[in-house]
Amino acid sequence: MNAFRHGSLDVATFVELHQLYGRQSHLIDEGDARAWATTFTADGEFISPSYPAPVAGTAALTDFADAFFADAAAAGEARRHVITNIAIDRVGDDELAVRLYLQIVATRKGEQSRLVRLTTTADRVVREGGQWRVACRTVRRDDN
Amino acid sequence: MNAFRHGSLDVATFVELHQLYGRQSHLIDEGDARAWATTFTADGEFISPSYPAPVAGTAALTDFADAFFADAAAAGEARRHVITNIAIDRVGDDELAVRLYLQIVATRKGEQSRLVRLTTTADRVVREGGQWRVACRTVRRDDN
Amino acid sequence: MNAFRHGSLDVATFVELHQLYGRQSHLIDEGDARAWATTFTADGEFISPSYPAPVAGTAALTDFADAFFADAAAAGEARRHVITNIAIDRVGDDELAVRLYLQIVATRKGEQSRLVRLTTTADRVVREGGQWRVACRTVRRDDN
């Protein structure tokens, strides 16, 4: 039972992580694919049952984010990554384990917004050159 | 690409801003219109495509919040402003730029809650007399 | 009007509270009932119109969380507690009043996720042995 390991989390790291997650969705949802990709490490991995294979590395992550935004535009809708329930555990000086809830909300012109799915995300986050970035994201879908 | 400007955000400001946003929705959603209005500066502006014209100044903002709550009551439902994905950028010593996602969730007695819409909000937040307040809020609707 | 009492909230307490709420939902939603129960004080109370009577004390809270998870499993769905709009007010050195929005989102295999209800939660949170825990949670349902 490690419900209370957060005693070891320093304030600066907490703030940096919440800023990272606060910002990350805006980047992919607004089509700033390259900036989104650089919230991951250079060899960062994205693993999700929504996609046929893991995506790894800045170039592939950029293409992935570009495709997400283009697909939404082609469907005539805005798609948003809504992040809540951020729980941060320290693994080491420069490594954190983060769990969060991620809802996809989609909206077509003239229609009500709709909740498409809720996923549970587990991130391994590491500090490189003083900057926290996602080294590996593993997405689980509740509908899967 | 300014995905990582948050290095310059001090911890106290981060906490004050998250407390401001944590609290603001409760005020308008519970009908405390005047308190909601004072989360804006005295000449604060609210600009949204949901309303015919910008709303500016404490008195007008109070009326606006009163009307929001009265409209919900007249429709026999509770309406909630659900805030997520807060991203804070420092613009100057006493000025911040904040982006966030704002979902409107409505509930009628005896019915399931429903997501009405997701909006993207861009706030200019300033510090006056040691207190951070919203100077200008610009709402964009994904369905618009 | 106490919209701005947060001036008295220290940073460490803010971080501990956000970590507490970040973590709490994962515990009950993943079936770790005992760990969820220990986010409450030993005699902690949970009061909700969704349930016939208040639940009090670690053993009863554990059973309550076990039943929540078992009910979801029996219904063939995952149920998530999505927490937003955390507003923290200091009541005393070792006591806080917290309000938040709590949405229940449910997902069946192969189906879209759906928002079941939005509730407003008021927590009395106390510090015991250096650890913040929920002493009393009062849930209000917007559909009630």
Side-chain angles (χ1 to χ4, degrees), chain B residues 16 38 40-42 93-95 125-134, chain C residues 4 6-7:
Chain B
E16 285 169 34
T38 61
F40 289 77
T41 58
D93 280 353
D94 295 312
E95 183 176 343
V125 180
V126 300
R127 184 157 48 183
E128 285 182 353
Q131 182 69 56
W132 290 103
R133 295 180 205 267
V134 179
Chain C
F4 293 121
H6 63 270

Coordinates of all heavy atoms in Angstrom, one line a residue, chain B residues 16 38 40-42 93-95 125-134, chain C residues 4 6-7:
Chain B
E16 N -1.7 30.1 -6.1 CA -2.8 31.1 -6.0 C -3.7 31.0 -7.3 O -4.9 31.1 -7.2 CB -2.2 32.5 -6.0 CG -1.6 32.9 -4.6 CD -0.8 34.2 -4.6 OE1 -1.1 35.1 -5.4 OE2 0.2 34.2 -3.8
T38 N -15.9 39.5 -8.4 CA -14.7 40.0 -7.8 C -13.5 39.1 -8.1 O -12.4 39.4 -7.6 CB -14.8 40.3 -6.4 OG1 -15.1 39.1 -5.7 CG2 -15.9 41.4 -6.1
F40 N -12.6 38.9 -11.0 CA -12.2 39.7 -12.1 C -11.7 41.0 -11.5 O -12.1 41.4 -10.4 CB -13.3 40.0 -13.1 CG -13.7 38.8 -13.9 CD1 -14.5 37.7 -13.4 CD2 -13.3 38.6 -15.2 CE1 -14.8 36.6 -14.1 CE2 -13.6 37.5 -16.0 CZ -14.4 36.5 -15.4
T41 N -10.8 41.7 -12.3 CA -10.5 43.1 -11.9 C -11.7 44.0 -11.9 O -12.7 43.6 -12.5 CB -9.4 43.7 -12.8 OG1 -9.9 43.6 -14.1 CG2 -8.1 42.9 -12.7
A42 N -11.6 45.2 -11.4 CA -12.8 46.1 -11.3 C -13.3 46.4 -12.7 O -14.5 46.6 -12.9 CB -12.4 47.4 -10.6
D93 N 5.9 40.5 -14.5 CA 5.9 40.3 -13.1 C 4.5 40.2 -12.5 O 4.2 39.4 -11.6 CB 6.6 41.5 -12.4 CG 8.1 41.4 -12.4 OD1 8.6 40.3 -12.9 OD2 8.8 42.3 -12.0
D94 N 3.6 41.0 -13.1 CA 2.2 41.0 -12.6 C 1.2 40.7 -13.6 O 0.0 41.1 -13.6 CB 1.9 42.4 -12.0 CG 2.8 42.7 -10.8 OD1 2.9 41.8 -9.9 OD2 3.5 43.8 -10.7
E95 N 1.6 39.9 -14.6 CA 0.7 39.5 -15.7 C 0.9 38.0 -16.1 O 2.1 37.7 -16.4 CB 0.8 40.4 -16.9 CG -0.2 40.1 -18.0 CD -0.2 41.1 -19.1 OE1 0.4 42.2 -18.9 OE2 -0.7 40.8 -20.2
V125 N -4.5 37.4 -16.8 CA -4.6 37.5 -15.3 C -3.6 38.5 -14.8 O -2.4 38.4 -15.2 CB -4.5 36.1 -14.6 CG1 -4.6 36.2 -13.1 CG2 -5.5 35.1 -15.2
V126 N -4.0 39.4 -14.0 CA -3.1 40.4 -13.5 C -3.1 40.5 -11.9 O -4.1 40.1 -11.3 CB -3.4 41.8 -14.0 CG1 -3.3 41.8 -15.6 CG2 -4.7 42.3 -13.5
R127 N -2.0 41.0 -11.4 CA -1.9 41.1 -9.9 C -2.1 42.6 -9.5 O -1.4 43.4 -10.0 CB -0.5 40.6 -9.4 CG -0.4 40.6 -7.9 CD 0.6 39.6 -7.4 NE 1.9 39.8 -8.1 CZ 2.9 39.0 -7.9 NH1 2.9 38.0 -7.0 NH2 4.0 39.1 -8.6
E128 N -3.1 42.8 -8.7 CA -3.4 44.1 -8.2 C -3.5 44.1 -6.7 O -4.3 43.3 -6.2 CB -4.7 44.6 -8.7 CG -4.8 45.0 -10.2 CD -6.1 45.5 -10.6 OE1 -7.1 45.4 -9.8 OE2 -6.2 46.0 -11.8
G129 N -2.7 44.9 -6.0 CA -2.7 44.9 -4.6 C -2.4 43.5 -4.0 O -3.0 43.1 -3.0
G130 N -1.5 42.8 -4.7 CA -1.1 41.5 -4.2 C -2.0 40.3 -4.5 O -1.8 39.2 -4.1
Q131 N -3.1 40.6 -5.2 CA -4.1 39.6 -5.5 C -4.2 39.4 -7.1 O -4.4 40.3 -7.8 CB -5.5 40.2 -5.0 CG -6.6 39.3 -5.2 CD -6.5 38.1 -4.3 OE1 -6.4 38.2 -3.1 NE2 -6.6 36.9 -4.8
W132 N -4.1 38.1 -7.5 CA -4.3 37.8 -8.9 C -5.8 37.8 -9.2 O -6.6 37.2 -8.5 CB -3.7 36.4 -9.2 CG -2.2 36.4 -9.1 CD1 -1.5 35.9 -8.2 CD2 -1.3 36.9 -10.1 NE1 -0.1 36.0 -8.5 CE2 0.0 36.6 -9.7 CE3 -1.5 37.5 -11.4 CZ2 1.1 37.0 -10.4 CZ3 -0.4 37.9 -12.1 CH2 0.9 37.6 -11.6
R133 N -6.2 38.5 -10.3 CA -7.6 38.5 -10.8 C -7.6 38.5 -12.3 O -6.6 38.9 -13.0 CB -8.3 39.8 -10.3 CG -8.4 39.9 -8.8 CD -9.2 41.3 -8.5 NE -8.8 41.7 -7.1 CZ -9.6 41.4 -6.0 NH1 -10.7 40.7 -6.2 NH2 -9.2 41.8 -4.8
V134 N -8.7 38.0 -12.8 CA -8.9 37.9 -14.3 C -9.1 39.3 -14.9 O -10.1 40.0 -14.5 CB -10.0 37.0 -14.7 CG1 -10.1 36.9 -16.2 CG2 -9.7 35.6 -14.1
Chain C
F4 N -11.3 34.9 -1.1 CA -9.9 35.0 -1.2 C -9.2 34.6 0.1 O -8.1 35.0 0.4 CB -9.5 36.4 -1.6 CG -9.9 36.6 -3.0 CD1 -10.7 37.7 -3.3 CD2 -9.5 35.8 -4.0 CE1 -11.1 37.9 -4.6 CE2 -9.9 36.1 -5.3 CZ -10.7 37.1 -5.6
H6 N -7.7 32.1 0.5 CA -6.6 31.1 0.3 C -5.2 31.7 0.5 O -4.2 31.0 0.4 CB -6.7 30.6 -1.1 CG -6.5 31.6 -2.2 ND1 -7.6 32.3 -2.7 CD2 -5.5 32.1 -2.9 CE1 -7.2 33.1 -3.6 NE2 -5.9 33.0 -3.7
G7 N -5.1 33.0 0.8 CA -3.9 33.6 1.1 C -3.2 32.9 2.3 O -2.0 32.9 2.4

